[in-house]
Amino acid sequence: MNWVQIDKKSRVQKDGVYTDWKQQVSDDCQNRCVYCSIHENPWGGIDHYHIEHFRPKSKFKKLENDITNLYHACPVCNRFKSDDWPNNPINLDEICYPDPSDHNYTDLFELDQNDFTLVGKHVASRYVVNRLYLNRPQLVYERREQVLKIRAEELIAETTSLINKTEDLTLSRKVSMLLIEMYQHLNVRSNIAPYRLIEIRKK
Ligand SMILES: [Zn+2]
């Protein structure tokens, strides 16, 4: 739903270990899980997310501290993936994990508008859906919320357009006030501001 292709090509390798770069890795991934796209905030912020080694460090020891191999992942996806690595991500028609720096995951799935489940378009993306359980109830709920919010905004826009055509000024004013209030409620529900490490760790 909210995936983006992650720019890793322009990252410059630094001295240090992967745990040093948690904030940068989170920022690179727009503070979202690279696999399920859920924002870190509902989970309590960055400290509750993991640094994901796309190529598992148990199998690719040299990539353990390689900045281009590091992504932000929620604990559930991270645990399901663990050190699973069926194939190098060369062909989406084979079982593998598509590289999030080569693909926008949005292009790899279709959203069923009736039940809000994800369907993979390729062998690889179907494997990711199954292996990482991307249709778990939490994610279905989040997708439903997002779709319903977009629909509510569309309905507000349509109602606004209709009310602008009426000559009944009293009715127009009253409906406009209600629409503004409805819009404010929607915004409060969806307002997300990333927590920074400095804001959530005890001094
Ligand atoms: Zn996730």
Side-chain angles (χ1 to χ4, degrees):
M1 295 289 292
N2 297 295
W3 296 275
V4 289
Q5 190 169 341
I6 315 292
D7 174 22
K8 286 286 180 184
K9 305 280 190 291
S10 61
R11 286 283 159 236
V12 178
Q13 185 64 42
K14 307 178 211 173
D15 290 333
V17 292
Y18 68 89
T19 48
D20 297 340
W21 310 317
K22 192 160 190 181
Q23 186 72 63
Q24 184 187 336
V25 170
S26 171
D27 291 342
D28 283 350
C29 299
Q30 302 195 357
N31 317 105
R32 293 180 179 277
C33 173
V34 71
Y35 299 119
C36 71
S37 86
I38 292 299
H39 200 279
E40 66 190 25
N41 275 10
W43 286 80
I46 186 172
D47 270 7
H48 298 271
Y49 266 38
H50 297 173
I51 292 183
E52 152 71 3
H53 290 79
F54 178 63
R55 287 172 170 79
K57 58 182 185 296
S58 61
K59 295 174 179 164
F60 298 87
K61 189 67 186 159
K62 285 185 180 170
L63 298 180
E64 181 171 4
N65 297 309
D66 185 328
I67 192 81
T68 63
N69 190 43
L70 305 178
Y71 294 90
H72 202 44
C74 76
V76 181
C77 290
N78 188 249
R79 199 174 63 240
F80 280 132
K81 181 164 174 287
S82 188
D83 61 353
D84 185 41
W85 189 255
N87 274 308
N88 285 324
I90 297 167
N91 184 350
L92 294 181
D93 292 322
E94 288 181 4
I95 291 177
C96 66
Y97 290 94
D99 189 329
S101 67
D102 287 335
H103 299 277
N104 183 334
Y105 268 43
T106 309
D107 301 330
L108 304 182
F109 308 111
E110 273 173 10
L111 177 68
D112 187 314
Q113 295 286 338
N114 293 314
D115 64 8
F116 308 102
T117 56
L118 282 186
V119 181
K121 292 182 184 174
H122 315 274
V123 173
S125 44
R126 284 195 286 277
Y127 180 74
V128 172
V129 169
N130 288 329
R131 177 78 194 195
L132 303 187
Y133 192 20
L134 292 187
N135 286 322
R136 54 190 186 261
Q138 167 219 8
L139 300 180
V140 170
Y141 170 82
E142 296 284 350
R143 287 178 207 132
R144 189 187 64 194
E145 285 285 295
Q146 192 170 344
V147 169
L148 293 179
K149 177 176 182 283
I150 291 168
R151 183 63 188 135
E153 287 173 348
E154 288 170 353
L155 290 171
I156 289 173
E158 282 176 37
T159 311
T160 304
S161 153
L162 285 175
I163 205 66
N164 285 341
K165 291 174 187 160
T166 182
E167 292 176 1
D168 185 335
L169 289 181
T170 308
L171 177 67
S172 170
R173 204 170 296 126
K174 191 163 184 179
V175 174
S176 295
M177 295 299 288
L178 290 173
L179 288 173
I180 290 168
E181 191 180 338
M182 216 185 300
Y183 197 71
Q184 286 169 341
H185 281 300
L186 282 175
N187 273 344
V188 167
R189 283 192 68 184
S190 60
N191 191 22
I192 287 180
Y195 298 134
R196 317 303 293 183
L197 280 175
I198 198 166
E199 292 163 350
I200 57 174
R201 284 189 177 157
K202 285 184 180 172
K203 298 273 188 324

